[in-house]
Amino acid sequence: MTITEYFSLLFNDYTLRTITLGTAVLGAICGMLGSFAVLRKESLLGDAISHAALPGIAVAFLITGAKDSNILLLGALVSGLIGTFWIRAMTEKTHLKSDTALGLVLSLFFGFGMLLLTFIQKQPNANQAGLDKYLFGQAATLVESDVRLMVIVTSLALVVMLLFWKEFKLLLFDADYTKTLGFNTRFIDITITFFIVLAIVLGLQTVGVVLMSAMLLAPAAAARQWTNKLSVMVLLAAIFGAFSGVFGTAISASQNNLSTGPVIVLVASVFVLFSFIFSPGRGLLFRQLRFRRNRRDLQLKKTLQIMFGIAETHDNISHPHAIKILNNFQGFTKISLRQMEENEWITLDGQKWALTQKGFEEARTMFDKKEENNQ
């Protein structure tokens, strides 16, 4: 199946439609909530929570003996919240830094989860088959009820975000000021963290424990390159996440033996790479172009200042001078001469140059500004 055939079958095939809608909704909610994790400098929190959810899945299966996705995800949610509570407690009650607490919880919970999964796999009954899909995800197992749950949680998160938008924004950029205004910062922090945990848990079935943090952070990291406004960043992150889910699913379905979760993460990484290079404000390409333009402008102004100093020694500022006089001055290039001629700062006649009235006034303005700055 080609990608074109995939999109032509999308609205007629139940399975393709369900998986695509599920991955798109997952990408959108992860992008929205991941923006808050990125801006709060808690990028590793998603990785820790996704790994901390694994023992909850195993314990839920051991208690119920069933592979009902809702029950397993409920166990993952409880385990993820416990892991988050441990992280908060270690950073607040001890001298440990947040990265140390994240690493400890991630390793401890993931190791315990793998131990439980190994124990479950060695049980004599065959009901435990398929639990390992939560490690790397298996989007093909999504059904309509799973997608409906994702839509409900996304809608709930969106409503809460709109209701507490001002409080969320204040807490993100100035927690101390938020306290002085009388807001309950602990409640706001817990609310944001709860929905981040909820989004991570929802994505375990699709993307898996190992890759879920990338799904949470990649769309937000890409969106951050394009704007300084929170609302725009959240919207862009949701769009990038949704497109990553759709195109990742399409690429996975069009090829044999390609897991959907890893492909979605790779597509999201392409958005990040594109944003890092081509975003106008922070992109590497435009940054390099600005650097070259600024360096060229500096060379022009430095050469103009030199010419101004030479022209001032004559009563007639338009008196021609030999170009070779400039050879000993750093920053002078033939390209800068041509650019200055285009700016009508100088006139060129063979191997001689002469300062124009416009160039003289430009140089005088630069000198006046320099003197003001020195004062």
Side-chain angles (χ1 to χ4, degrees), residues 221-223 225-226 240 270-279 282-283:
Q225 302 302 307
W226 295 91
F240 288 155
V270 171
F271 278 106
V272 175
L273 182 62
F274 181 86
S275 300
F276 280 173
I277 296 175
F278 296 105
S279 62
R282 297 184 176 86

Side-chain angles (χ1 to χ4, degrees), residues 293-346:
R293 185 177 63 249
N294 292 337
R295 185 172 61 180
R296 186 174 62 250
D297 291 344
L298 182 61
Q299 288 176 343
L300 289 178
K301 292 178 179 179
K302 186 182 293 185
T303 306
L304 182 61
Q305 287 179 343
I306 294 168
M307 291 176 167
F308 177 76
I310 296 173
E312 269 193 325
T313 61
H314 294 79
D315 295 333
N316 182 12
I317 62 169
S318 300
H319 180 79
H321 302 274
I323 292 178
K324 64 181 181 180
I325 298 176
L326 303 172
N327 289 337
N328 295 326
F329 295 103
Q330 186 179 4
F332 161 71
T333 62
K334 292 183 178 180
I335 296 176
S336 61
L337 278 183
R338 289 196 296 269
Q339 184 65 46
M340 293 172 72
E341 187 181 26
E342 291 177 4
N343 292 343
E344 297 181 353
W345 291 351
I346 64 171

Side-chain angles (χ1 to χ4, degrees), residues 57-102:
I57 295 172
V59 170
F61 176 79
L62 287 173
I63 293 175
T64 62
K67 289 189 297 183
D68 184 273
S69 60
N70 292 329
I71 295 176
L72 297 182
L73 292 181
L74 180 61
L77 177 62
V78 173
S79 182
L81 290 174
I82 293 173
T84 306
F85 173 77
W86 279 24
I87 293 170
R88 296 281 190 241
M90 278 191 281
T91 53
E92 293 175 2
K93 305 296 183 182
T94 70
H95 296 290
L96 294 177
K97 300 294 184 181
S98 59
D99 57 341
T100 306
L102 289 167

